[in-house]
Amino acid sequence: MKAIELQSPGGLENLRMVERPMPEPGRQEMIVKVKATALNYRDAEIVRGGYHTKFALPQAATLPCAGVTAWHALFTEGSVKPGDTVLCLGTGGVSLFAVQFAAAAGARVIVTSSSDEKLARAKQLGAQDGVNYRSVPDWASAVLGLTDGRGADHIIEVGGPQSFAQSLRAAARGAQINVIGYLGGSDGAINPLDIFRRQVRARGIPVGSRESFEAMNRAIVVNRLRPVIDRVVPWSRAAEAFRYLEHGSPFGKVVLDHTQ
């Protein structure tokens, strides 16, 4: 069978099409035909050799990674309630899953983006308000204004140190800040006194458990939710898909089609 193999981390040129033998299933195992997979920013970092953790080279997926990360942050750890305010930074895969999940749970959702068009699309998914951080660089003040000075109860923080300071300012007292990504870079300083003053809980959310995955899937079925797909690329053009993921500012997921 054909496979795309990352022969060594360090660049997209190391993604190579190879032939591998068809695996033989053992006892209580089965072979699954994969029709599509979706890329995550973590996958791009692994390919380029910049990810902070070293492990056996993986495959990529949508619901088990981006979806479960959002679910784990908001429900398994966060216990979102109807009427809570959820702030989602950006319109990538995790953030848009969080928009859909939080809206379905009856929470108020605020989204940030550099594009008014993307903010409008996020509102179609259930967000009540949006802030364009390009035209409003002080987006934390904008969030406080939208919440009558109270701030957000749950924050999906994907920007890293560059945005964390504003996330703290936008947080309600006792809020939960879910640190998921660092799209804005990993350099920067965080004053722990700001966490103390706001009495917030900041936690890292790498992904979630099988229990979270199964609970999320039940919610997806009941609420008839569908993952947001930005672009579908033939799997043989994986390098092109990675470049678009990194530089194309996608709205939702970039998917590899294994049938092409």
Side-chain angles (χ1 to χ4, degrees):
M1 68 175 187
K2 292 187 181 298
I4 294 179
E5 181 179 275
L6 177 58
Q7 297 188 340
S8 64
L12 296 177
E13 65 277 4
N14 293 329
L15 290 171
R16 305 288 175 81
M17 185 77 74
V18 298
E19 286 286 345
R20 285 185 174 178
M22 182 67 71
E24 292 290 335
R27 186 172 179 269
Q28 296 184 327
E29 294 180 339
M30 64 178 66
I31 295 177
V32 177
K33 184 176 182 179
V34 178
K35 293 185 176 180
T37 54
L39 303 181
N40 301 286
Y41 284 100
R42 182 179 70 171
D43 302 323
E45 286 218 319
I46 291 170
V47 171
R48 294 196 181 279
Y51 194 58
H52 56 76
T53 303
K54 304 298 182 184
F55 41 68
L57 300 178
Q59 197 33 283
T62 300
L63 292 179
C65 190
V68 178
T69 298
W71 181 272
H72 188 74
L74 292 178
F75 295 95
T76 308
E77 294 286 348
S79 301
V80 165
K81 305 182 299 297
D84 283 355
T85 297
V86 176
L87 172 62
C88 300
L89 304 191
T91 54
V94 175
S95 293
L96 289 185
F97 273 117
V99 169
Q100 292 176 288
F101 295 156
R108 177 188 182 181
V109 183
I110 302 173
V111 178
T112 68
S113 174
S114 62
S115 163
D116 289 336
E117 186 251 335
K118 288 183 178 181
L119 291 175
R121 293 174 66 185
K123 289 179 181 178
Q124 293 175 352
L125 295 173
Q128 279 78 28
D129 297 287
V131 179
N132 187 320
Y133 61 78
R134 182 162 292 166
S135 57
V136 185
D138 184 12
W139 50 265
S141 294
V143 171
L144 291 173
L146 289 169
T147 56
D148 296 324
R150 183 177 182 277
D153 302 293
H154 306 264
I155 299 177
I156 301 297
E157 168 56 70
V158 298
Q162 298 300 319
S163 61
F164 193 86
Q166 289 215 59
S167 289
L168 276 173
R169 288 181 48 225
R173 186 171 297 277
Q176 304 177 51
I177 301 179
N178 300 283
V179 181
I180 293 167
Y182 41 92
L183 297 178
S186 56
D187 294 329
I190 297 171
N191 186 348
L193 285 178
D194 291 333
I195 298 176
F196 173 79
R197 292 187 186 104
R198 306 296 289 179
Q199 298 176 24
V200 303
R201 283 171 282 174
R203 55 172 168 258
I205 303 287
V207 67
S209 65
R210 175 173 177 172
E211 183 180 7
S212 293
F213 180 60
E214 292 174 348
M216 176 196 70
N217 285 332
R218 291 193 294 270
I220 287 174
V221 171
V222 168
N223 292 284
R224 299 179 180 179
L225 302 178
R226 296 180 65 86
V228 180
I229 306 299
D230 180 277
R231 179 171 296 189
V232 178
V233 179
W235 76 292
S236 59
R237 291 157 46 194
E240 173 188 329
F242 273 115
R243 291 188 186 96
Y244 178 71
L245 175 70
E246 292 181 296
H247 305 295
S249 187
F251 184 89
K253 302 300 295 183
V254 178
V255 174
L256 298 180
D257 184 349
H258 290 259
T259 66
Q260 298 185 45

